[in-house]
């Protein structure tokens, strides 16, 4: 195999304090490492999630981080209670999964997904 398993996913952020607070306090991830305004890494299961600080206005938003949940409606309610603002549309992959999107302080998309049984 040329490449190994997926190691981590990161988003660029222009405001590390706000982004760390969002992923720690709203999303509920445990912060495991922070290097000032340059880097923050969270416990997110087998694939690590991180934030990479930047002052570069051209560092674009890209990708989407998706977190698995057991109960989409309950998870959405809990996240909304902690300050997440969801898009109205609930997506569905016919008979397979339901998902919904919200955004972090930098406008990066974050999704939660429930796989149907």
């Amino acid at each position: 195999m040329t490449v190994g398993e997926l190691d981590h996913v990161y988003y660029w952020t222009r405001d590390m304090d706000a982004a760390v607070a969002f992923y720690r306090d709203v999303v509920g991830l445990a912060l495991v490492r922070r290097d000032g305004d340059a880097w923050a890494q969270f416990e997110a299961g087998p694939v690590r999630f991180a934030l990479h600080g930047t002052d570069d206005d051209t560092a674009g938003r890209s990708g989407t981080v998706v977190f698995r949940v057991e109960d989409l409606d309950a998870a959405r309610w809990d996240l909304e209670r902690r300050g997440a603002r969801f898009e109205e549309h609930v997506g569905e992959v016919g008979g397979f999964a339901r998902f919904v999107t919200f955004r972090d302080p930098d406008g990066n998309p974050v999704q939660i997904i429930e796989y149907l049984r």
Side-chain angles (χ1 to χ4, degrees), residues 5-82:
E5 296 177 351
L6 181 62
D7 182 73
H8 70 279
V9 173
Y10 70 89
Y11 277 151
W12 293 103
T13 183
R14 290 168 189 80
D15 185 341
M16 186 63 76
D17 290 333
V20 165
F22 178 81
Y23 284 100
R24 183 192 59 219
D25 302 338
V26 176
V27 178
L29 299 180
L31 180 66
V32 295
R33 178 180 172 198
R34 179 160 178 189
D35 296 327
D37 286 337
W39 186 261
Q41 188 170 306
F42 299 86
E43 179 62 45
V47 176
R48 292 173 283 183
F49 175 70
L51 299 166
H52 196 313
T54 184
D55 290 330
D56 183 355
D57 288 335
T58 64
R61 296 179 198 114
S62 63
T64 302
V65 64
V66 182
F67 296 100
R68 185 181 300 193
V69 297
E70 292 297 318
D71 181 330
L72 187 74
D73 299 319
R76 180 178 180 165
W77 179 86
D78 188 47
L79 287 162
E80 285 176 330
R81 185 178 58 80
R82 291 189 265 161

Side-chain angles (χ1 to χ4, degrees), residues 66 68-69 72 90-100 112-117:
V66 182
R68 185 181 300 193
V69 297
L72 187 74
V90 175
E92 186 167 338
V93 180
F96 183 69
R98 293 186 318 137
F99 60 91
V100 68
I112 54 174
I113 189 167
E114 171 191 6
Y115 291 97
L116 306 176
R117 295 181 178 91

Side-chain angles (χ1 to χ4, degrees), residues 2 49 59 63 89:
T2 303
F49 175 70
H89 175 74

